[in-house]
Amino acid sequence: MPTSPRDTPGLPSLALYVHVPWCVRKCPYCDFNSHGVGRGAALPEAEYLAALLADLDADLPLVAGRPLVSIFIGGGTPSLMSAEFYARFFDALAQRLPLADDIEITLEANPGTLERGRFQGYRQAGINRLSLGVQSFQSAQLSALGRIHSGDDAVAAVHEARSAGFDNLNLDLMHGLPDQTPALALADLERALALEPEHLSWYQLTLEPNTEFHSHPPVLPHEEVLWDIQDLGHERLEAAGMVRYEISAYARPGRRSRHNLNYWRFGDYLGIGAGSHGKLSVAGGESGRLHIERRWKTRQPEAYLRRREDPRGFVAGSNEVSDAELPLEFAMNALRLVEGVAMADWAAHTGRPPRLLGERLAAARKKGLLVEDAQRLQASPQGLLFLNELLALVSEAGTE
C-alpha cells in the first residue's frame, strides 16, 4: 500500500520514468528509443517485467527508500502492454519504494492500439493520468506523420478513457506539420478543446537527427506561417482557460503535470527500461555536497532483456555533471517554465552566487529575453521563443 512521503532533507523530489520500447510502427519524425513490431505482435511481457524489476533493484541503493512523487510510463507505445502487466509492476514497486499518497501515475497511449475495455483495466491497475498521442485530427497530417490512428479514433479513445474513470487527461498535439495552414492548426486545437482535456502538450514538429524525416525532409510551412500558428494557437488556448506553464505545455488550474514539473525544477528521477535515462543527486566525499549523476540504460530491447544475466547490469553509461556544466544544465530546465526560478534556487542548484550573473543578465533584459525582476530568473514571452539565446547568456554568466 502507498505510504506517506518521509522527509529527505537536502534532496530534491524523486520520480520514476519507465520506458516501454515497442510500438506498432516507427513514425518518421520519432527519435525516441522505439522499435516497430507490427500490429498484433506478441510482446515478452513476463520477461520485460522481470527485467524492469531487476533494473530497479540494482538502482535501489542509490535512492535509499526515498518516496516517489510521480511515475511516467513512456515509449514506444506503453499501451501495447496489458493492464495485468502494469498491475503486477505496481504491486512489486510498492514493495520496494514508498509511494506518495497523491502520486501521479501517467501512461502514454496511442489511440490506434487500444482495445475496448483496456482503459478500465489500466485505471484499476493504479494508473490515474493518461497522455494520448493524438498529434493531429486531420487525415492528411496523420498520414504524413505515419500515425496508425484516425481523428475519430482519438475522439473515441477520449470517450473511452472518461468512461473508465480517468479525470486527468493530456492530449499531445503537434503543429507546423507538412502542408499545415494556420486554419488547419486551429481546427486541431478546436477539436481538442471540445474534448475538454485537463492538459494539452502543443509543440512544433522538428526534424531530429537519426529519423526518416531528417534523411528525407518533408515540406514544412514557411517561417511566417509557423509564427502565425504559434501566436494564434497560444491566444486560443489561453482564451479557453488553458494556462501555459511551460514552453509547450498548457493546463487547467491544478492540472499541471507533476512529473514534468519535477524535471523542470531539477528534481531527481530514476530511469528503468530499455534506453531510459535517469538523474540523481548524490553526496560527494567528505564535504557532503550534492553532485548530479546522469545514467542511461541499454537501448536495444533484446540486449536489455539479456542484461538480467550479465554481471555488468543494465547501465550502459553514466557521467557526473561537472561544476562548469551545472549552470547550463539547470537553466535548460528551469527557464522552460513560464514562472522561471528564484535567484536563491539558482544559487542552491548551481553553486554560483547570483552576483556572477551580473552584466549578462542586464544584456538579456535589454534584449527583452528576461522579465524585469531582480529576485527571479524568468524568461519573457520573447525569451521563451528564443530560449537558446537566453540559455547561452545565462549559462555563460554563471561561469564568469
Side-chain angles (χ1 to χ4, degrees):
M1 293 294 293
T3 62
S4 297
R6 68 189 188 198
D7 292 334
T8 50
L11 291 172
S13 55
L14 178 69
L16 173 67
Y17 175 75
V18 183
H19 193 77
V20 176
W22 296 286
C23 57
V24 173
R25 183 173 67 196
K26 180 84 169 180
C27 295
Y29 60 84
C30 178
D31 68 336
F32 297 133
N33 184 36
S34 57
H35 303 264
V37 294
R39 194 181 289 274
L43 296 179
E45 287 199 355
E47 294 87 347
Y48 198 65
L49 177 61
L52 284 177
L53 294 177
D55 190 355
L56 177 62
D57 286 340
D59 281 354
L60 285 180
L62 301 173
V63 294
R66 292 163 59 188
L68 293 177
V69 299
S70 67
I71 301 169
F72 193 99
I73 305 162
T77 302
S79 54
L80 288 176
M81 307 299 259
S82 69
E84 291 75 16
F85 171 87
Y86 292 112
R88 292 195 297 271
F89 173 74
F90 295 134
D91 284 345
L93 175 64
Q95 297 172 23
R96 288 164 166 80
L97 281 173
L99 310 181
D101 290 332
D102 62 347
I103 190 168
E104 175 192 272
I105 304 178
T106 303
L107 177 80
E108 284 188 335
N110 184 327
T113 64
L114 296 164
E115 302 166 3
R116 186 166 183 83
R118 182 164 280 206
F119 277 144
Q120 186 173 1
Y122 291 149
R123 189 71 189 89
Q124 291 172 347
I127 293 161
N128 55 27
R129 184 175 183 270
L130 285 177
S131 180
L132 284 174
V134 175
Q135 315 312 355
S136 176
F137 292 94
Q138 313 288 332
S139 296
Q141 269 71 48
L142 288 169
S143 177
L145 293 174
R147 302 297 289 175
I148 62 172
H149 69 274
S150 67
D152 289 342
D153 289 336
V155 172
V158 171
H159 293 322
E160 181 85 6
R162 296 301 194 197
S163 296
F166 282 96
D167 62 358
N168 197 359
L169 185 65
N170 171 64
L171 300 183
D172 255 9
L173 276 183
M174 285 184 173
H175 60 85
L177 306 180
D179 298 319
Q180 191 176 54
T181 63
L184 287 173
L186 287 175
D188 271 346
L189 285 180
E190 292 296 345
R191 199 163 184 192
L193 289 170
L195 296 170
E196 300 183 331
E198 285 71 31
H199 190 283
L200 195 65
S201 297
W202 190 61
Y203 51 95
Q204 184 176 321
L205 171 65
T206 55
L207 306 185
E208 301 290 349
N210 303 314
T211 65
E212 184 181 334
F213 271 3
H214 191 267
S215 302
H216 303 93
V219 178
L220 300 181
H222 294 300
E223 187 171 341
E224 295 80 4
V225 174
L226 295 175
W227 286 119
D228 286 344
I229 290 173
Q230 179 101 358
D231 291 344
L232 292 169
H234 173 71
E235 181 180 318
R236 179 67 189 96
L237 288 168
E238 295 265 321
M242 303 293 288
V243 179
R244 186 188 197 189
Y245 70 95
E246 187 264 339
I247 284 181
S248 58
Y250 296 75
R252 301 198 183 280
R255 293 298 194 170
R256 298 189 299 179
S257 167
R258 276 186 252 161
H259 190 84
N260 286 344
L261 283 173
N262 187 65
Y263 287 151
W264 311 139
R265 290 172 174 166
F266 220 45
D268 283 351
Y269 52 98
L270 287 172
I272 62 172
S276 64
H277 285 240
K279 174 242 172 196
L280 292 174
S281 302
V282 294
E286 296 181 359
S287 69
R289 187 169 67 85
L290 293 179
H291 296 270
I292 305 300
E293 182 183 72
R294 296 197 179 276
R295 298 154 57 87
W296 52 96
K297 306 297 175 61
T298 300
R299 283 179 59 86
Q300 292 296 324
E302 295 79 8
Y304 178 83
L305 290 172
R306 291 195 299 270
R307 284 296 185 104
R308 284 184 64 202
E309 311 302 328
D310 193 323
R312 294 173 297 174
F314 295 91
V315 178
S318 66
N319 73 280
E320 182 177 312
V321 179
S322 70
D323 289 349
E325 294 169 325
L326 265 176
L328 179 58
E329 284 267 346
F330 182 63
M332 284 174 61
N333 289 278
L335 288 178
R336 291 181 64 95
L337 289 172
V338 171
E339 66 188 23
V341 60
M343 281 293 189
D345 288 339
W346 166 270
H349 283 288
T350 67
R352 301 286 193 271
R355 61 178 172 77
L356 289 183
L357 295 172
E359 294 181 2
R360 288 186 178 269
L361 288 197
R365 290 192 174 100
K366 187 175 181 180
K367 290 184 175 183
L369 301 177
L370 279 177
V371 171
E372 294 283 351
D373 186 340
Q375 302 305 312
R376 298 190 68 77
L377 276 176
Q378 182 179 2
S380 66
Q382 183 81 351
L384 291 172
L385 290 173
F386 296 96
L387 188 61
N388 286 340
E389 182 180 355
L390 176 57
L391 288 174
L393 286 168
V394 171
S395 59
E396 288 171 14
T399 58
E400 288 179 348

